[in-house]
Amino acid sequence: MRNKKPRFRLQTTITFLVCGVVALALFVTDLLISNEIGETTLNNQTDKAMNIAKMVAHSPLTIKNLEQNQEELELQKYTSEMTKITAVEFIVVMDMNGIRKTHPSPDKIGQHFVGGDEGPVLRGQEKTSIAKGTLGYSLRAFTPVFSDSGKQIGAVAVGISLNKVKQNVKNSKRVIYLAVIFGVLIGVMGAIFLARKIKKSMFGLEPFEIGKLLEERSAMLQSTKEGILAVDQDARITLINNEALRLFEEAGMKENPVGHLVDQYLPQLQLRNVLETGKPSLNIEVDLSGITLFANQLPIIVGNQMVGAITTFRDKTEINKLAEELTGVTLYAEALRAQSHEFMNKLHVVLGLVHLQHYEKLSDYIDQISDQLQNEVGYIASKIKDPALAGFILGKMSYAREMGAELTFSGEGTLPEPVLPETTHEIITIIGNLTDNALEALSGQENKKVFIHFDYYDHELLIEIADNGRGIEAEIVTQIFSKGFSTKGNDRGIGLFLVKRSIEKIHGQIELSTEVGKGTRFSVTLPY
């Protein structure tokens, strides 16, 4: 399923999201704190007014003035100073009839208190209220005045302009608004930084691009013919593909290994050695409950730091089969090349005789070639009914002539085509490698002869390949069929190993007789 490309890029999305979350959080905070601060500010102003009212009500000057009904001049002066010091709107002292004894406007002294909310305080109750008086709307605090004997003799009213209260609340909220704006700005900058940080950690890829890349890499991983297994730096299996699971199931290991320690699940792999040394381990054979795997193990390096290891492997049987097929193709191709080379040499002779106008010699040469070819082709075709095998032997005869050797073919009986086509491939592998070894054993000799003889009787095929070369020393006879063993240098020693394996595959036998200085003979017996 293909990931749909989103409308916005990751950085834009993260920025919008973080800014939205920050703005929403700050908005909710503003609603909660702003109201709380507004109420707190109002309460603080109310407490301030009440405290001032109590201070004036308990002043000896106020008590004495109300008790003795003295002139208001001294009391007026006192309340005016208190009004300036406390920065309130007014401080009014009134008697029990609600007549003002003090007022910010002296002309209002002697008049009745205005507002209609003074009743409770004249009955001895403290009270706060918001009402309109001669100075406009104000927050008012009322407290009674008592004489030393405990008798109420008047009351004090302290007022704070409602506009001033609202301004104080506004000033308190302004701090919140500034904090919200600052928080939003910090949130925007943080969102941009976070978005860039995340984008950088994802190598500049968008999420849909990562998803697409993951799907494609996973598909490639699961489609790979080789088994793949990866571990982290703690040697714990983190990844395995379908081919690896199939091979493990064939070996009787049904449990999914992801999450297991590789030492416990597959101690044969020895991946921990790769983690400890940091060195790859290539072309190793691993036996897994009867299945032989051909594995390559390499460390995983990210940023000059080893973060794990990976191993790829295939069933060795499949690799051997592929190698055999490639070997067979090589033998076919070599035979065809030799025939083509021999044919070109003969064409060059024909062309030279034509240029020299030696037509009689040209006729004799063509007759000779024709007779030789008919004899070879006719004889081999009469003895071997499998066209591929017959053509291959003809090619080997041409190759031997190219190498300056004489290859003689003979046979007893007629060899039919095999029931299984694979048998032809195995016989070609056997004859091809043995013949090549025989021709190589003749290098440096003047009289080079190789003999191929077959005898077919009662579904049993005997193939003998002999040469008159140097022979094989007795001390290495037992080693010549080992993989990689060779007396001809490095990267050799595969031919006789393939011969032995092909013979074992079709349940045959091989015998060797050799004499140093006289030659070697291989006798192969096969059920056919």
Side-chain angles (χ1 to χ4, degrees), residues 13 18 27 32 45 83 104 173 282-283 406 419 440:
T13 303
V18 173
F27 176 72
L32 298 175
Q45 293 295 312
T83 301
K173 289 185 176 181
L282 305 177
N283 302 324
E406 178 185 350
V419 176
E440 288 182 3

Side-chain angles (χ1 to χ4, degrees), residues 68-95:
Q68 299 178 7
N69 197 18
Q70 296 177 348
E71 291 292 330
E72 294 86 2
L73 183 60
E74 191 175 355
L75 184 59
Q76 172 69 11
K77 183 180 178 182
Y78 168 69
T79 56
S80 296
E81 289 180 356
M82 288 294 292
T83 301
K84 291 179 182 179
I85 294 172
T86 57
V88 295
E89 187 73 14
F90 63 84
I91 299 176
V92 174
V93 178
M94 69 186 81
D95 59 19

Side-chain angles (χ1 to χ4, degrees), residues 492-505:
R492 302 293 298 271
I494 193 69
L496 290 178
F497 171 75
L498 294 177
V499 168
K500 180 182 179 184
R501 192 165 59 191
S502 292
I503 292 172
E504 291 173 349
K505 189 172 183 179

Side-chain angles (χ1 to χ4, degrees), residues 173-399:
K173 289 185 176 181
R174 186 179 294 124
V175 177
I176 300 300
Y177 297 148
L178 291 175
V180 168
I181 294 172
F182 182 73
V184 169
L185 291 176
I186 294 296
V188 170
M189 290 188 291
I192 294 174
F193 175 77
L194 176 63
R196 290 181 177 176
K197 189 81 173 176
I198 294 175
K199 195 75 178 290
K200 184 178 180 181
S201 67
M202 297 191 302
F203 303 98
L205 297 175
E206 293 293 320
F208 79 94
E209 293 175 323
I210 295 176
K212 179 182 176 183
L213 184 63
L214 181 61
E215 286 183 350
E216 292 174 352
R217 294 290 172 87
S218 178
M220 287 188 287
L221 179 70
Q222 299 302 337
S223 301
T224 304
K225 182 60 179 174
E226 285 74 19
I228 299 175
L229 183 144
V231 299
D232 60 17
Q233 56 190 357
D234 298 322
R236 196 172 296 278
I237 299 172
T238 58
L239 180 147
I240 186 168
N241 70 344
N242 291 335
E243 179 63 15
L245 287 173
R246 183 188 69 81
L247 291 172
F248 293 162
E249 287 180 0
E250 286 187 5
M253 304 166 68
K254 305 292 184 180
E255 185 181 1
N256 191 323
V258 174
H260 290 73
L261 289 172
V262 71
D263 296 344
Q264 298 175 358
Y265 190 82
L266 285 170
Q268 304 93 324
L269 289 180
Q270 297 182 348
L271 268 176
R272 188 175 289 276
N273 291 342
V274 177
L275 291 172
E276 292 174 352
T277 63
K279 296 180 180 180
S281 181
L282 305 177
N283 302 324
I284 62 172
E285 292 187 12
V286 178
D287 183 62
L288 195 65
S289 301
I291 297 178
T292 302
L293 302 179
F294 205 64
N296 291 301
Q297 302 174 343
L298 299 97
I300 302 174
I301 309 295
V302 177
N304 296 324
Q305 183 178 1
M306 186 164 58
V307 297
I310 188 170
T311 178
T312 61
F313 45 84
R314 287 193 68 174
D315 190 340
K316 187 180 177 182
T317 304
E318 297 178 0
I319 296 178
N320 290 341
K321 184 177 180 181
L322 179 61
E324 291 170 2
E325 291 176 356
L326 291 175
T327 302
V329 171
T330 302
L331 294 174
Y332 285 129
E334 184 62 28
L336 291 173
R337 188 204 62 77
Q339 283 187 311
S340 174
H341 188 268
E342 184 182 23
F343 182 68
M344 289 299 297
N345 289 338
K346 291 175 180 177
L347 283 181
H348 290 154
V349 174
V350 170
L351 183 61
L353 291 174
V354 169
H355 286 162
L356 295 173
Q357 297 182 356
H358 294 170
Y359 300 117
E360 290 183 3
K361 290 184 179 180
L362 175 61
S363 178
D364 294 339
Y365 182 71
I366 292 175
D367 288 340
Q368 178 186 352
I369 294 174
S370 178
D371 290 342
Q372 180 184 0
L373 184 61
Q374 286 180 0
N375 289 336
E376 283 185 359
V377 173
Y379 180 74
I380 292 175
S382 67
K383 292 294 184 180
I384 300 176
K385 298 305 179 181
D386 187 334
L389 182 57
F392 177 74
I393 292 176
L394 285 170
K396 278 299 177 185
M397 296 179 74
S398 299
Y399 176 70

